[in-house]
Amino acid sequence: MESPQLLTGKRIAVLAADGVEQAELTTPVAALKAAGAEVHVIALRPGRIRAMHVHQSADLLRVDKIITRATAADYDALLVPGGYIGPDLLRQSSPARDFLRQVHAPGKPIALMSQAVLLLISCGLAGGRTLTGWPGVRDDVVNAGATWRNQEVVRDGKLLTSRGPQDAAALVQALVPFFADALPQDAQSAPQAPQSDPPQEEPSETPGQPLRWLSAPSVGAMLSLALLGVGVVAANRGLRKKRADDAEAETAPAADTTQ
């Protein structure tokens, strides 16, 4: 079923960095464009950023603009995909933090997926809010003064948060009407909970994406090992040559200095 053009005329910023979870970027971006939005991927550096499938290297994704040349006032809403690495890089970036604050200040809608809620925390904007996010950042959310819910998607006013890549379908279903401000009034805010949901008893594993990085090292790791091997071989050859030269010098007849 085709998405209604609820976002025609809207400009959406997608803030991402190397290590972004690929499904959390490409899936919602496709839905936003299908709904008529103009979408710009904004990153910390130009060119392409490396996406990930959990811990596995994924595709290189094109960047439309770098954060130092992006103006928050040019956009109607902001989406921040998650991932183990990307949000950590964003929260260390002063321009990225400033960009989110500038979108938040006038009350524009912001959607954050899985670990991206960490950027909201680093901006000092999580306190008193009801949020979800990757279960591994639950304590960070609680320690920042927010309530963490173990749910697929949680909306609190102009903030929409999702739990992880396994919940991408639920996020996309809520994302377009959220950015269009088309949700019913009774669905616009999460009910305030007396306390956060408890931590999980076991680590989460995204379905179909097992952590196989130990048995399948990345190309970068393989290249590093190959270069290390070349260096070891070269060093051994140099050492053998030096030893041979020293041995030859010891057995050579001494030069006659009496003449």
Side-chain angles (χ1 to χ4, degrees), residues 124-204:
L125 299 173
R129 310 307 295 263
T130 300
L131 309 166
T132 188
W134 186 250
V137 303
R138 181 257 185 203
D139 291 350
D140 300 81
V141 173
V142 173
N143 291 335
T147 298
W148 181 80
R149 308 299 292 164
N150 192 9
Q151 299 173 5
E152 293 178 335
V153 178
V154 171
R155 178 169 182 175
D156 185 348
K158 294 295 184 179
L159 292 178
L160 184 72
T161 50
S162 69
R163 189 174 49 189
Q166 72 275 17
D167 304 313
L171 182 279
V172 167
Q173 186 176 4
L175 187 63
V176 171
F178 170 66
F179 280 164
D181 201 21
L183 284 178
Q185 289 296 320
D186 60 358
Q188 290 197 4
S189 295
Q192 292 297 316
Q195 60 184 11
S196 295
D197 289 339
Q200 293 195 163
E201 296 296 327
E202 297 290 339
S204 297

Side-chain angles (χ1 to χ4, degrees), residues 235-249:
N236 285 337
R237 286 178 177 173
L239 182 59
R240 287 198 299 268
K241 185 176 185 301
K242 183 177 183 302
R243 287 175 176 172
D245 291 343
D246 291 345
E248 183 178 349

